[in-house]
Amino acid sequence: DACEEAAILMLDAYYKDYNLSPLFSRDEILKMVEWEENKNWGTSIDAKKVELLAEWYLGRGVSVVEDPTIKQIKNYVSNGNPVLVLAYGKDLPNPNFRSGGPDYHALIIRGYTEDKFITNDPGTRNGENFIYDYDDLMNALHDWNGGDVENGRKVVLVVE
């Protein structure tokens, strides 16, 4: 778990221009988890709670974008704003996942090519610059939805 927190940490490193080490990352993720525990949120959180956590941790405004389009995501990324994705992990064709992937997953879109998104995916040690076809990633977009992730709304989050 903790992919939502890992994705937020990656955004923080991007916006504040620092490198992440394993020890620092662990400590910062645990800070976020403790903050969530103090709110009794549980281990998986929906987009609204990810937004609140990100705003607290980043010290910046964050927006939830419902039903995003490929064009919107490309515009955010082109303007220097990586996109935090919430997804049904079992729909993501990532051969590095175990057991077919997580039910709920978070990752960052950091770039794109003509037909693919370039991501940083904390779900695997091979996640840096991992490539997903546009359609594969867009079809996997789903919010937590109380655990019924497959039927969750399609959302992404963007730092304002």
Side-chain angles (χ1 to χ4, degrees):
D1 276 338
C3 57
E4 301 101 307
E5 296 82 1
I8 291 168
L9 184 58
M10 287 188 279
L11 288 175
D12 192 60
Y14 171 78
Y15 284 108
K16 294 178 182 169
D17 194 26
Y18 64 86
N19 292 320
L20 293 170
S21 71
L23 187 58
F24 175 79
S25 298
R26 185 201 70 204
D27 290 347
E28 293 304 299
I29 287 169
L30 289 174
K31 283 181 194 174
M32 285 185 256
V33 168
E34 181 179 353
W35 189 84
E36 294 169 89
E37 286 173 347
N38 288 335
K39 298 190 172 307
N40 296 312
W41 282 357
T43 56
S44 291
I45 57 175
D46 63 24
K48 182 61 182 168
K49 290 176 181 169
V50 173
E51 176 187 22
L52 294 171
L53 174 64
E55 287 179 341
W56 169 77
Y57 189 80
L58 300 171
R60 306 171 83 123
V62 176
S63 295
V64 175
V65 179
E66 292 192 43
D67 296 315
T69 65
I70 293 169
K71 183 178 180 180
Q72 281 178 300
I73 291 172
K74 287 169 67 175
N75 284 337
Y76 291 129
V77 173
S78 292
N79 289 325
N81 295 307
V83 174
L84 192 155
V85 170
L86 299 173
Y88 180 59
K90 295 197 180 299
D91 279 350
L92 291 170
N94 188 326
N96 300 300
F97 286 155
R98 294 184 193 150
S99 305
D103 287 331
Y104 191 51
H105 191 49
L107 60 135
I108 301 294
I109 298 174
R110 62 179 291 173
Y112 59 88
T113 67
E114 175 128 352
D115 58 351
K116 299 179 187 321
F117 286 121
I118 303 166
T119 69
N120 277 357
D121 189 331
T124 170
R125 68 178 58 138
N126 299 315
E128 186 175 9
N129 293 317
F130 192 85
I131 305 293
Y132 288 105
D133 288 341
Y134 289 155
D135 289 341
D136 288 339
L137 190 54
M138 296 302 287
N139 290 333
L141 294 182
H142 293 287
D143 197 3
W144 174 242
N145 196 33
D148 182 17
V149 182
E150 281 183 279
N151 294 303
R153 65 193 175 129
K154 295 191 176 289
V155 296
V156 297
L157 289 91
V158 181
V159 177
E160 297 172 348

